[in-house]
Amino acid sequence: NILTGICVATANKSAEDDMEISMHEELTKHNSAVASLQRIFHEYDDGFKTLTASRLTRHLKNPTVRAYFKKLDLEPWHLHRFFDIFRSDGMEPAIDIDKFMRGCLRLRCTVKNIDLMAAVHEETRNTEQRYQDFQRAVVGMLDEESTRNTKRHMQLQGSISQLLTRMSPDWQRSANKSPDLQQSESPVE
């Protein structure tokens, strides 16, 4: 029994070590693939730092890119479906490259409630940020328009003042010649 216990304990220890080594190798494989894909996407991102479905399709023509996704257990249809989820109003979504890679990693793992909560939280935060950006843009446009209107108002006031100043002597002379004004100025009998 003691010998059996020692053998079982040794076998369990070896299995745990093998499991740790396997997990480390798997993690290294995933990290390497993710880092390589991020490098490729950033290298050819045209300065946008985002990825669209059409750009992804171009990347997927590269066998190296397909191989890296294969290491992550992702097929091209998984990736296209990922973009379909974010498509709205027929517009092609542009997703930040790093966020896209995090999403790819989440696609192939067992989804837990915390993952869903994190995704909802992140999307809510992104929506709030887009709303704040939109609100700032609208306020900026309204401020610009208000400033232009104020300038126009000041210009109009200046023009009217100049016009009245130029017309003032002429207006007083014509007012003195006007019969209506002369009758009101004559004494009442």
Side-chain angles (χ1 to χ4, degrees):
N1 282 343
I2 293 175
L3 188 57
T4 304
I6 292 173
C7 288
V8 169
T10 305
N12 283 340
K13 176 71 172 136
S14 294
E16 286 176 12
D17 291 344
D18 286 345
M19 177 70 98
E20 285 180 23
I21 290 170
S22 295
M23 287 174 53
H24 179 69
E25 287 174 357
E26 189 71 22
L27 187 59
T28 303
K29 178 179 82 168
H30 278 168
N31 287 342
S32 171
V34 168
S36 297
L37 285 168
Q38 283 178 315
R39 182 183 44 75
I40 290 169
F41 292 153
H42 281 293
E43 189 174 315
Y44 298 102
D45 73 350
D46 301 331
F48 296 108
K49 296 184 182 180
T50 59
L51 192 63
T52 62
S54 58
R55 279 189 233 139
L56 177 65
T57 300
R58 281 189 306 228
H59 284 298
L60 288 173
K61 291 178 183 175
N62 180 343
T64 305
V65 171
R66 284 195 314 271
Y68 285 133
F69 277 118
K70 195 75 158 165
K71 283 184 180 180
L72 298 174
D73 296 324
L74 292 171
E75 298 294 330
W77 71 269
H78 291 125
L79 304 169
H80 289 295
R81 183 67 186 123
F82 184 71
F83 276 95
D84 289 342
I85 291 170
F86 293 106
R87 186 178 307 271
S88 67
D89 299 331
M91 306 249 331
E92 183 178 51
I95 302 171
D96 179 81
I97 292 170
D98 298 328
K99 289 180 182 178
F100 173 75
M101 293 309 304
R102 281 196 307 269
C104 286
L105 292 175
R106 287 180 178 167
L107 279 175
R108 296 313 300 163
C109 67
T110 305
V111 177
K112 296 183 170 63
N113 286 338
I114 190 69
D115 293 325
L116 294 174
M117 289 169 44
V120 167
H121 176 71
E122 186 173 333
E123 185 58 31
T124 301
R125 191 176 60 230
N126 290 339
T127 301
E128 288 172 357
Q129 183 62 44
R130 285 191 302 267
Y131 175 75
Q132 289 172 356
D133 292 345
F134 174 74
Q135 188 177 21
R136 276 191 291 273
V138 168
V139 167
M141 289 188 308
L142 290 174
D143 286 345
E144 288 175 14
E145 188 63 29
S146 175
T147 301
R148 280 194 295 271
N149 285 339
T150 301
K151 286 179 183 176
R152 285 186 209 132
H153 179 74
M154 298 298 281
Q155 289 171 345
L156 282 173
Q157 275 185 327
S159 297
I160 291 171
S161 294
Q162 289 174 352
L163 192 65
L164 288 175
T165 303
R166 277 189 260 147
M167 291 179 60
S168 183
D170 294 338
W171 180 73
Q172 287 176 353
R173 273 186 251 132
S174 68
N176 288 338
K177 293 179 184 177
S178 171
D180 293 336
L181 287 176
Q182 289 174 357
Q183 286 177 358
S184 64
E185 291 176 6
S186 63
V188 178
E189 296 176 16

